[in-house]
Amino acid sequence: QVQLRESGGGSVQAGGSLRLSCTASGDAYDKNCMAWFRQASGQEREGVPIASIDRDGSPNYSDFVKGRFTISADDAKNTLYLQMDSLKPDATATYFCATARFWFCRGTSSVDFPSWGQGTQVTVSS
């Protein structure tokens, strides 16, 4: 199983940027699909990834983050990133990274991912 650890969260004013990182140890085939999920305070973790990256590096985005966030990973997929720009208060949440073996992330949900990090908090003030 993959060991995941997120970092880079913090507090920022609206319009600002943050870059989340997720270090991922473990076998490469367990990291074919890598994704970011979010959980707002008082709510359950969202079932659909806000961003994910396929085995071939192709990114996928939810409508919530499209055009504002950028997902990327290093070649070995040892580190996953989420560049968060033009942040709005509605981005305030805990962000989790997750990995799975399937090659394509599109259409996946949280129940499909066996490996999870502990999360990193992002707070955006107006």
Side-chain angles (χ1 to χ4, degrees):
Q1 196 165 2
V2 178
Q3 302 296 318
L4 300 169
R5 177 173 292 182
E6 303 93 339
S7 62
S11 296
V12 64
Q13 288 195 326
S17 297
L18 284 173
R19 189 191 196 200
L20 306 185
S21 298
C22 171
T23 57
S25 63
D27 294 322
Y29 57 78
D30 285 324
K31 298 182 284 185
N32 284 333
C33 169
M34 304 182 80
W36 288 98
F37 291 81
R38 65 190 296 269
Q39 181 175 10
S41 178
Q43 299 182 20
E44 293 189 358
R45 187 163 55 200
E46 294 180 6
V48 178
I50 59 168
S52 60
I53 193 163
D54 296 341
R55 185 178 186 272
D56 65 357
S58 298
N60 309 284
Y61 298 101
S62 70
D63 288 341
F64 177 77
V65 305
K66 195 173 294 183
R68 295 190 292 152
F69 296 0
T70 304
I71 190 171
S72 63
D74 65 10
D75 289 345
K77 287 196 169 179
N78 289 325
T79 307
L80 179 70
Y81 303 99
L82 186 68
Q83 178 67 39
M84 311 168 74
D85 296 318
S86 303
L87 283 164
K88 301 178 182 179
D90 63 1
T92 296
T94 302
Y95 288 76
F96 299 85
C97 62
T99 67
R101 288 186 177 184
F102 32 79
W103 285 25
F104 300 103
C105 305
R106 187 180 295 276
T108 57
S109 67
S110 60
V111 297
D112 298 318
F113 290 79
S115 300
W116 291 86
Q118 294 300 306
T120 186
Q121 176 68 36
V122 171
T123 302
V124 184
S125 58
S126 58

